[in-house]
Amino acid sequence: MACSAADVAKAVRAAAAVVAAHRDELVQLDRAIGDGDHGENLNRGFTAVVSKLDESTPDTPGAVLKVVATTLISKVGGAAGPLYGTAFLRAATALGDADSLGPAEVVTALRAALGGIVARGKAELGDKTMVDALDPAVMAADGQDSVASVLEAAATAAAQGADSTVPLVARKGRASYLGERSAGHLDPGARSTALLLRSFADSAAGS
């Protein structure tokens, strides 16, 4: 089943609720190896996104994602705002004016989002960042035959990718200042990426 702009907006609202529910967890993860603001910043950003969508729902999926992008960039501090904002903006641009999304379009959006994060953060697989969740998600999503299966595969791979960051030594971001002491902790950006993809998968499965 193809996803309309209304479907995407509904999924974004659900994701905002998931971010709110996991705010404290993300704060604690970031406090261990960062500056402790990831959960608060992301929650503030998605709360603002929902307020924007309350004002009006854009008429294409790409336009919905552009609202997410511009709001996160303007409202979220730290690294999360520019990184997630760039991810959603690249996804929106890749989708163009398409009225609805099938599995191929969702994979295209995910791949564009990954490209944006890599370009913005200069991180690669194994650096202990959100790339460790999103890169395997894109790989797993490719070749699936429905929006729901694309997002389910992506979410499962992202969760495994996030867990894989625990033993890694951070090579990017504030956590990299800790050197070897960053090992043994789950990367908060990888965790939030996995949470968002799980939420999007659950929305797709329920629609």
Side-chain angles (χ1 to χ4, degrees):
M1 191 179 84
C3 291
S4 67
D7 293 329
V8 175
K10 184 179 178 183
V12 168
R13 291 174 186 278
V18 167
V19 169
H22 290 269
R23 183 189 76 89
D24 291 348
E25 177 198 349
L26 293 172
V27 166
Q28 293 300 327
L29 288 174
D30 197 31
R31 195 167 283 159
I33 59 172
D35 46 17
D37 62 357
H38 187 59
E40 187 60 52
N41 284 344
L42 211 54
N43 187 46
R44 183 191 315 117
F46 272 93
T47 300
V49 167
V50 170
S51 294
K52 282 285 187 186
L53 292 175
D54 283 344
E55 294 171 12
S56 65
T57 299
D59 56 3
T60 66
V64 174
L65 296 184
K66 189 170 184 181
V67 167
V68 177
T70 55
T71 305
L72 292 180
I73 289 169
S74 65
K75 297 292 185 182
V76 180
L83 287 169
Y84 272 123
T86 299
F88 280 103
L89 192 58
R90 289 285 188 94
T93 301
L95 294 175
D97 296 327
D99 290 330
S100 63
L101 307 182
E105 289 78 20
V106 175
V107 172
T108 294
L110 288 171
R111 187 173 289 116
L114 173 62
I117 286 174
V118 170
R120 187 74 193 238
K122 304 293 189 284
E124 57 189 40
L125 208 57
D127 282 348
K128 198 182 181 93
T129 70
M130 57 178 65
V131 172
D132 291 301
L134 192 52
D135 186 284
V138 172
M139 296 286 286
D142 207 8
Q144 301 294 325
D145 61 0
S146 70
V147 171
S149 62
V150 163
L151 290 169
E152 179 59 39
T156 300
Q160 294 168 348
D163 288 344
S164 79
T165 66
V166 174
L168 297 176
V169 173
R171 295 198 293 253
K172 292 288 179 182
R174 189 174 288 267
S176 66
Y177 302 160
L178 296 176
E180 296 289 335
R181 285 181 295 138
S182 64
H185 298 281
L186 181 64
D187 180 69
R191 174 61 175 152
S192 62
T193 298
L195 286 170
L196 288 173
L197 285 171
R198 170 46 57 199
S199 179
F200 292 149
D202 289 347
S203 290
S207 63

